């Protein structure tokens, strides 16, 4: 009916989105179209809300232009994207899905404009009286001109704020303090990036060519067959099995520890309560909570062990998340949701990598059909530059870590709504496609990643729209071009996303078994779910 949501609800929603989050503290925020009422303006400035803006930008355009746009706007019923016959003409394939708002009449729009002006006047008066800088910009001209003026204004505000803080030296001290309490990035538990975001392209590619040479075996060098795809998969599976020993709970293997970390556990194993050493298929293994019965007792004993390792500085205190994750037999895989079998125990998230417990995630391939009905193009997401890990690198349309309390499919549905704004009819057509897994030596231990993969056909003309700020942009790429970019420009890709793309190409016939290293790639794309190679 066009009525505004209650102010109390809007305030709660905004605060849940921005206040207190690490991203909010590190990168700041922009609130578009907020506050919508004088009450919201007053509430956001009250102590305790942490929503005082550094500046306010007002965009203005003539009433007649507003009416012209509002009367012509139409919405794609599948994606929510807005089009206009003059300013944003819809593609031909989208036109059958277009809908118009029934309440977009000249009279209704005139009323909205009048109400808006009354509301804005009281909002700006309130903000101005609180000494918040406000600038109005003409938006009835080139968007680039408007953007440039806004950018200049925001930069001036930023310089003034920096001076009040004490200059660049004070800023550096503040950032150093924040970095000490920020959530640690997961790069130390996963495959390292080839290049940093600030590296020049030429230097980055030289570094990758040098690394690729180091990945080549003597046989590869003799036959000159190490292809870019093979190297991409091989670099995600680098470790020496002799450097690690199994970790058991009862007689089930749950992970691996490095021999370096094993030395830290030896004093505890001598006591025999938190852990001990035992034989496992002819090898020495570490057994956790050997005398405990049941998940609760094991969890308590292992928690005490982890606390001691933190006190001793073996596990960094700043890495602790105060978040417990399930530990299950490696052979059972992930079991989430209400029907999941009980875990053997639960462990602090920061400690999981040290004990080599596998972690799980989901990746969704969004493909578009060609004239023959087969996949011809694929949607690729470019990760936001504000991401703590792998900023600016290419990724699947949708990807994310796997929470313990929901199933893979439930997580896929949630992530597809948040990351790509896919409509229900598309989400319901998503199909599981298998697993991609890999195992990689990190500074902390042996990292085993298991990614549940899913495929979904995205209708022609539909564009994913990011809803959580984690994707810089989406691009629709011919599948052959996506594969060629991995083959020739791997540094552009998030490492495990390149593996998922290669797996997709193999499953859908874009790579032939004649491809150099095809057999090795097929094996290594499932290496993380195999424990035989480490026995």
């Amino acid at each position: 009916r066009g009525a505004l949501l209650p102010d109390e609800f809007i305030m709660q929603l905004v605060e849940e989105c921005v206040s207190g989050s690490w991203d909010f503290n590190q990168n700041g925020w922009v609130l578009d179209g907020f506050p919508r009422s004088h009450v919201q303006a007053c509430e956001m400035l009250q102590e305790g809300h942490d929503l005082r803006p550094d500046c306010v930008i007002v965009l203005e355009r003539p009433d007649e232009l507003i009416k012209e746009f509002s009367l012509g706007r139409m919405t794609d019923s599948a994606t929510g994207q807005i089009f206009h016959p003059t300013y944003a003409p819809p593609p031909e394939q989208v036109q059958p899905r277009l809908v118009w708002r029934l309440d977009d009449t000249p009279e209704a729009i005139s009323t909205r404009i009048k109400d808006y002006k009354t509301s804005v006047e009281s909002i700006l008066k309130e903000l101005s009286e609180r000494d918040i800088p406000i600038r109005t910009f003409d938006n009835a001209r080139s968007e680039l001109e408007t953007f440039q003026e806004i950018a200049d204004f925001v930069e001036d505000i930023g310089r003034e704020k920096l001076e009040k803080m004490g200059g660049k030296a004070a800023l550096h001290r503040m950032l150093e303090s924040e970095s000490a309490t920020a959530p640690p990035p997961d790069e130390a538990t996963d495959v390292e990036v080839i290049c940093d975001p600030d590296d020049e392209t030429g230097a980055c590619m030289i570094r990758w060519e040098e690394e690729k040479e180091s990945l080549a075996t003597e046989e590869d060098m003799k036959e000159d067959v190490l292809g870019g795809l093979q190297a991409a998969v091989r670099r995600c599976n680098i470790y020496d099995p002799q450097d690690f020993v199994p970790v058991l709970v009862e007689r089930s293997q749950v992970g691996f520890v490095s021999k370096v970390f094993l030395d830290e556990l030896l004093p505890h194993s001598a006591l025999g309560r938190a852990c001990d050493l035992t034989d496992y298929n002819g090898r020495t293994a570490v057994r956790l909570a050997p005398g405990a019965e049941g998940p609760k007792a094991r969890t308590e004993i292992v928690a005490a062990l982890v606390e001691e390792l933190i006190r001793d500085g073996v596990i960094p205190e700043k890495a602790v998340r105060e978040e417990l994750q399930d530990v299950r037999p490696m052979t059972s895989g992930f079991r989430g949701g209400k029907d999941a079998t009980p875990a053997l125990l639960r462990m602090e998230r920061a400690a999981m990598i040290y004990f080599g417990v596998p972690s799980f995630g989901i990746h969704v391939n969004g493909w578009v059909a060609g004239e023959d009905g087969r996949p011809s193009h694929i949607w690729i997401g470019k990760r936001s530059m504000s991401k703590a890990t792998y900023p600016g690198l290419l990724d699947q349309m949708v990807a994310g870590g796997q929470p313990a309390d929901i199933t893979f499919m439930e997580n896929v549905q949630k992530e597809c709504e948040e990351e790509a704004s896919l409509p229900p009819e598309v989400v319901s057509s998503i199909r599981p496609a298998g697993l991609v897994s890999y195992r990689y030596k990190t500074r902390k231990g042996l990292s085993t990643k298991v990614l549940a993969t899913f495929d979904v056909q995205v209708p022609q003309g539909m564009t994913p729209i990011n809803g959580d700020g984690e994707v810089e942009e989406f691009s629709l790429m011919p599948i052959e071009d996506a594969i060629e970019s991995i083959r020739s420009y791997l540094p552009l890709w998030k490492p495990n996303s390149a593996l998922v793309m290669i797996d997709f190409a193999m499953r859908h016939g874009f790579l032939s078994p004649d491809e150099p290293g095809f057999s090795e790639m097929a094996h290594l794309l499932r290496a993380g779910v195999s424990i035989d190679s480490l026995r």
Side-chain angles (χ1 to χ4, degrees), residues 59-167:
L59 299 178
E60 278 194 348
R61 57 175 51 181
D63 292 355
E64 292 306 314
L65 193 58
I66 296 174
K67 292 177 182 178
E68 180 185 355
F69 183 84
S70 300
L71 291 172
R73 65 179 173 178
M74 41 198 169
T75 305
D76 182 349
S77 59
T79 67
Q81 189 168 354
I82 296 176
F83 296 96
H84 189 278
T86 303
Y87 303 110
E92 184 177 347
Q93 62 269 27
V94 172
Q95 292 179 9
R97 303 199 301 263
L98 295 176
V99 295
W100 286 260
R101 285 181 54 166
L102 296 178
D103 58 345
D104 275 351
T105 63
E107 296 78 13
I109 292 170
S110 295
T111 300
R112 285 186 215 144
I113 293 174
K114 181 180 177 181
D115 292 342
Y116 165 77
K117 290 183 176 180
T118 301
S119 178
V120 165
E121 184 179 349
S122 63
I123 292 171
L124 295 182
K125 183 175 184 295
E126 183 68 34
L127 297 175
S128 177
E129 289 176 352
R130 304 294 187 97
D131 296 324
I132 295 173
I134 301 171
R135 180 75 60 85
T136 300
F137 297 89
D138 177 14
N139 197 30
R141 53 178 175 157
S142 164
E143 291 181 355
L144 292 178
E145 291 180 30
T146 305
F147 179 79
Q148 184 60 60
E149 287 190 9
I150 293 174
D152 291 342
F153 170 62
V154 173
E155 285 182 2
D156 289 342
I157 296 296
R159 279 191 288 269
E160 291 177 8
K161 184 175 181 179
L162 183 59
E163 290 176 4
K164 292 178 181 178
M165 291 168 53

Side-chain angles (χ1 to χ4, degrees), residues 37-73:
S37 70
H38 182 257
V39 172
Q40 293 175 14
C42 294
E43 284 286 325
M44 71 182 293
L45 298 175
Q46 286 186 3
E47 288 187 16
H49 284 302
D50 205 18
L51 288 174
R52 181 184 174 89
D54 291 313
C55 62
V56 174
I57 295 165
V58 182
L59 299 178
E60 278 194 348
R61 57 175 51 181
D63 292 355
E64 292 306 314
L65 193 58
I66 296 174
K67 292 177 182 178
E68 180 185 355
F69 183 84
S70 300
L71 291 172
R73 65 179 173 178

